[in-house]
Amino acid sequence: MSAQDSNSATAGGWMVFDYLYRDASNYKTFGSVWLTGILTEAERTEVVECLDGSEFFVAEQIGVPPLYPALFEDGGGPTEDDHAWHMFEGFREESKMAEAAVVWGEASALLAAFRAAKGNWRLELSPNFDW
């Protein structure tokens, strides 16, 4: 679903999951996933509790787009500084969808993916896993 398809997902609007990828040299790229439905404060806290160290997750494991390819474009491909972890930035609510945004899915589906991964982050799902 694109911004042209709908201006409001629900009466509460849209939820956006913001995250980033930072390699070992501190080069960063940022991303957002637009969601239908709104997580409660308790559910948002639960997502944070599912993260490794309250910060990190494997994008491939929860099904959100990995962000490191943007760094690969700028830097000529993966380097020894690349790894499997993405970082959680936060949630925000929006009343209108951004022009070029695409809906990833339901907020409840993202929560379910984090619940399934809690305590069992699978680094090998990332192409940057090499141990």
Side-chain angles (χ1 to χ4, degrees), residues 88-108:
F88 171 71
E89 283 242 282
F91 289 106
R92 60 188 158 92
E93 294 181 37
E94 297 287 344
S95 59
K96 291 191 177 188
M97 192 172 204
E99 185 70 27
V102 175
V103 175
W104 177 86
E106 291 284 333
S108 59

mmCIF file of all heavy atoms in Angstrom, residues 88-108:
data_model
loop_
_atom_site.group_PDB
_atom_site.id
_atom_site.type_symbol
_atom_site.label_atom_id
_atom_site.label_comp_id
_atom_site.label_asym_id
_atom_site.label_seq_id
_atom_site.Cartn_x
_atom_site.Cartn_y
_atom_site.Cartn_z
ATOM 1 N N PHE A 88 17.701 -0.400 17.020
ATOM 2 C CA PHE A 88 16.382 0.195 17.206
ATOM 3 C C PHE A 88 16.548 1.667 17.568
ATOM 4 O O PHE A 88 17.349 2.007 18.429
ATOM 5 C CB PHE A 88 15.657 -0.551 18.331
ATOM 6 C CG PHE A 88 14.377 0.087 18.784
ATOM 7 C CD1 PHE A 88 13.257 0.063 17.978
ATOM 8 C CD2 PHE A 88 14.293 0.697 20.028
ATOM 9 C CE1 PHE A 88 12.066 0.636 18.413
ATOM 10 C CE2 PHE A 88 13.116 1.256 20.470
ATOM 11 C CZ PHE A 88 12.000 1.228 19.656
ATOM 12 N N GLU A 89 15.804 2.527 16.887
ATOM 13 C CA GLU A 89 15.809 3.962 17.205
ATOM 14 C C GLU A 89 14.571 4.358 17.994
ATOM 15 O O GLU A 89 14.656 5.138 18.916
ATOM 16 C CB GLU A 89 15.850 4.770 15.911
ATOM 17 C CG GLU A 89 17.220 4.801 15.298
ATOM 18 C CD GLU A 89 17.722 6.209 15.231
ATOM 19 O OE1 GLU A 89 17.300 6.953 14.337
ATOM 20 O OE2 GLU A 89 18.526 6.552 16.107
ATOM 21 N N GLY A 90 13.397 3.861 17.586
ATOM 22 C CA GLY A 90 12.189 4.211 18.302
ATOM 23 C C GLY A 90 10.945 4.027 17.458
ATOM 24 O O GLY A 90 11.007 3.648 16.287
ATOM 25 N N PHE A 91 9.814 4.292 18.088
ATOM 26 C CA PHE A 91 8.521 4.303 17.425
ATOM 27 C C PHE A 91 8.015 5.732 17.384
ATOM 28 O O PHE A 91 8.296 6.518 18.281
ATOM 29 C CB PHE A 91 7.494 3.459 18.196
ATOM 30 C CG PHE A 91 7.723 1.984 18.120
ATOM 31 C CD1 PHE A 91 8.226 1.287 19.209
ATOM 32 C CD2 PHE A 91 7.432 1.281 16.962
ATOM 33 C CE1 PHE A 91 8.419 -0.080 19.154
ATOM 34 C CE2 PHE A 91 7.624 -0.085 16.894
ATOM 35 C CZ PHE A 91 8.121 -0.769 17.996
ATOM 36 N N ARG A 92 7.263 6.040 16.358
ATOM 37 C CA ARG A 92 6.569 7.322 16.317
ATOM 38 C C ARG A 92 5.230 7.108 15.630
ATOM 39 O O ARG A 92 5.065 6.178 14.850
ATOM 40 C CB ARG A 92 7.397 8.402 15.619
ATOM 41 C CG ARG A 92 7.756 8.131 14.200
ATOM 42 C CD ARG A 92 8.754 9.178 13.673
ATOM 43 N NE ARG A 92 9.471 8.661 12.541
ATOM 44 C CZ ARG A 92 9.103 8.821 11.274
ATOM 45 N NH1 ARG A 92 8.008 9.520 10.985
ATOM 46 N NH2 ARG A 92 9.809 8.307 10.305
ATOM 47 N N GLU A 93 4.309 7.970 15.956
ATOM 48 C CA GLU A 93 2.985 7.917 15.336
ATOM 49 C C GLU A 93 2.854 9.081 14.372
ATOM 50 O O GLU A 93 3.329 10.181 14.643
ATOM 51 C CB GLU A 93 1.895 7.978 16.403
ATOM 52 C CG GLU A 93 1.887 6.752 17.296
ATOM 53 C CD GLU A 93 0.798 6.790 18.355
ATOM 54 O OE1 GLU A 93 -0.313 7.279 18.050
ATOM 55 O OE2 GLU A 93 1.065 6.333 19.477
ATOM 56 N N GLU A 94 2.225 8.822 13.248
ATOM 57 C CA GLU A 94 2.007 9.835 12.214
ATOM 58 C C GLU A 94 0.539 9.815 11.811
ATOM 59 O O GLU A 94 -0.064 8.752 11.683
ATOM 60 C CB GLU A 94 2.874 9.558 10.981
ATOM 61 C CG GLU A 94 4.362 9.626 11.231
ATOM 62 C CD GLU A 94 4.875 11.039 11.431
ATOM 63 O OE1 GLU A 94 4.151 12.003 11.078
ATOM 64 O OE2 GLU A 94 5.989 11.187 11.955
ATOM 65 N N SER A 95 -0.025 10.983 11.590
ATOM 66 C CA SER A 95 -1.423 11.054 11.172
ATOM 67 C C SER A 95 -1.570 10.900 9.659
ATOM 68 O O SER A 95 -2.610 10.467 9.172
ATOM 69 C CB SER A 95 -2.056 12.366 11.628
ATOM 70 O OG SER A 95 -1.362 13.460 11.079
ATOM 71 N N LYS A 96 -0.529 11.257 8.906
ATOM 72 C CA LYS A 96 -0.545 11.113 7.446
ATOM 73 C C LYS A 96 0.705 10.383 7.004
ATOM 74 O O LYS A 96 1.780 10.559 7.562
ATOM 75 C CB LYS A 96 -0.596 12.474 6.767
ATOM 76 C CG LYS A 96 -1.907 13.186 6.975
ATOM 77 C CD LYS A 96 -2.014 14.382 6.080
ATOM 78 C CE LYS A 96 -3.390 15.002 6.280
ATOM 79 N NZ LYS A 96 -3.645 16.049 5.314
ATOM 80 N N MET A 97 0.532 9.602 5.968
ATOM 81 C CA MET A 97 1.640 8.826 5.450
ATOM 82 C C MET A 97 2.551 9.691 4.587
ATOM 83 O O MET A 97 2.077 10.517 3.807
ATOM 84 C CB MET A 97 1.102 7.653 4.638
ATOM 85 C CG MET A 97 2.129 6.638 4.290
ATOM 86 S SD MET A 97 1.298 5.242 3.541
ATOM 87 C CE MET A 97 2.487 3.993 3.891
ATOM 88 N N ALA A 98 3.848 9.496 4.719
ATOM 89 C CA ALA A 98 4.819 10.223 3.901
ATOM 90 C C ALA A 98 4.642 9.864 2.431
ATOM 91 O O ALA A 98 4.209 8.762 2.091
ATOM 92 C CB ALA A 98 6.231 9.896 4.357
ATOM 93 N N GLU A 99 4.993 10.772 1.572
ATOM 94 C CA GLU A 99 4.778 10.637 0.123
ATOM 95 C C GLU A 99 5.283 9.317 -0.459
ATOM 96 O O GLU A 99 4.573 8.631 -1.154
ATOM 97 C CB GLU A 99 5.444 11.820 -0.592
ATOM 98 C CG GLU A 99 5.191 11.867 -2.081
ATOM 99 C CD GLU A 99 3.756 12.214 -2.437
ATOM 100 O OE1 GLU A 99 3.074 12.890 -1.648
ATOM 101 O OE2 GLU A 99 3.315 11.792 -3.518
ATOM 102 N N ALA A 100 6.517 8.956 -0.198
ATOM 103 C CA ALA A 100 7.104 7.767 -0.826
ATOM 104 C C ALA A 100 7.062 6.530 0.071
ATOM 105 O O ALA A 100 7.634 5.502 -0.275
ATOM 106 C CB ALA A 100 8.545 8.066 -1.221
ATOM 107 N N ALA A 101 6.390 6.604 1.193
ATOM 108 C CA ALA A 101 6.367 5.487 2.139
ATOM 109 C C ALA A 101 5.562 4.312 1.600
ATOM 110 O O ALA A 101 4.618 4.474 0.835
ATOM 111 C CB ALA A 101 5.777 5.952 3.467
ATOM 112 N N VAL A 102 5.974 3.131 2.022
ATOM 113 C CA VAL A 102 5.271 1.898 1.695
ATOM 114 C C VAL A 102 4.990 1.185 3.015
ATOM 115 O O VAL A 102 5.851 1.126 3.888
ATOM 116 C CB VAL A 102 6.135 0.999 0.773
ATOM 117 C CG1 VAL A 102 5.473 -0.336 0.537
ATOM 118 C CG2 VAL A 102 6.423 1.709 -0.539
ATOM 119 N N VAL A 103 3.811 0.654 3.160
ATOM 120 C CA VAL A 103 3.442 -0.040 4.392
ATOM 121 C C VAL A 103 4.101 -1.414 4.422
ATOM 122 O O VAL A 103 3.981 -2.196 3.487
ATOM 123 C CB VAL A 103 1.911 -0.179 4.517
ATOM 124 C CG1 VAL A 103 1.540 -1.011 5.739
ATOM 125 C CG2 VAL A 103 1.261 1.188 4.596
ATOM 126 N N TRP A 104 4.813 -1.692 5.509
ATOM 127 C CA TRP A 104 5.446 -2.998 5.720
ATOM 128 C C TRP A 104 4.393 -4.028 6.101
ATOM 129 O O TRP A 104 4.428 -5.157 5.646
ATOM 130 C CB TRP A 104 6.508 -2.866 6.813
ATOM 131 C CG TRP A 104 7.185 -4.148 7.174
ATOM 132 C CD1 TRP A 104 8.270 -4.704 6.552
ATOM 133 C CD2 TRP A 104 6.834 -5.042 8.236
ATOM 134 N NE1 TRP A 104 8.609 -5.877 7.160
ATOM 135 C CE2 TRP A 104 7.740 -6.113 8.211
ATOM 136 C CE3 TRP A 104 5.840 -5.028 9.212
ATOM 137 C CZ2 TRP A 104 7.696 -7.166 9.121
ATOM 138 C CZ3 TRP A 104 5.796 -6.075 10.116
ATOM 139 C CH2 TRP A 104 6.714 -7.133 10.064
ATOM 140 N N GLY A 105 3.486 -3.643 6.995
ATOM 141 C CA GLY A 105 2.454 -4.557 7.472
ATOM 142 C C GLY A 105 1.840 -4.041 8.752
ATOM 143 O O GLY A 105 1.912 -2.859 9.075
ATOM 144 N N GLU A 106 1.250 -4.949 9.503
ATOM 145 C CA GLU A 106 0.592 -4.608 10.763
ATOM 146 C C GLU A 106 1.610 -4.454 11.886
ATOM 147 O O GLU A 106 2.570 -5.225 11.969
ATOM 148 C CB GLU A 106 -0.396 -5.709 11.160
ATOM 149 C CG GLU A 106 -1.609 -5.824 10.265
ATOM 150 C CD GLU A 106 -2.620 -4.726 10.544
ATOM 151 O OE1 GLU A 106 -2.677 -4.207 11.677
ATOM 152 O OE2 GLU A 106 -3.363 -4.390 9.613
ATOM 153 N N ALA A 107 1.363 -3.489 12.761
ATOM 154 C CA ALA A 107 2.218 -3.317 13.938
ATOM 155 C C ALA A 107 2.222 -4.592 14.775
ATOM 156 O O ALA A 107 3.252 -4.982 15.322
ATOM 157 C CB ALA A 107 1.737 -2.120 14.758
ATOM 158 N N SER A 108 1.085 -5.269 14.848
ATOM 159 C CA SER A 108 1.005 -6.509 15.625
ATOM 160 C C SER A 108 1.893 -7.604 15.035
ATOM 161 O O SER A 108 2.439 -8.432 15.771
ATOM 162 C CB SER A 108 -0.447 -6.989 15.715
ATOM 163 O OG SER A 108 -0.973 -7.220 14.417
#
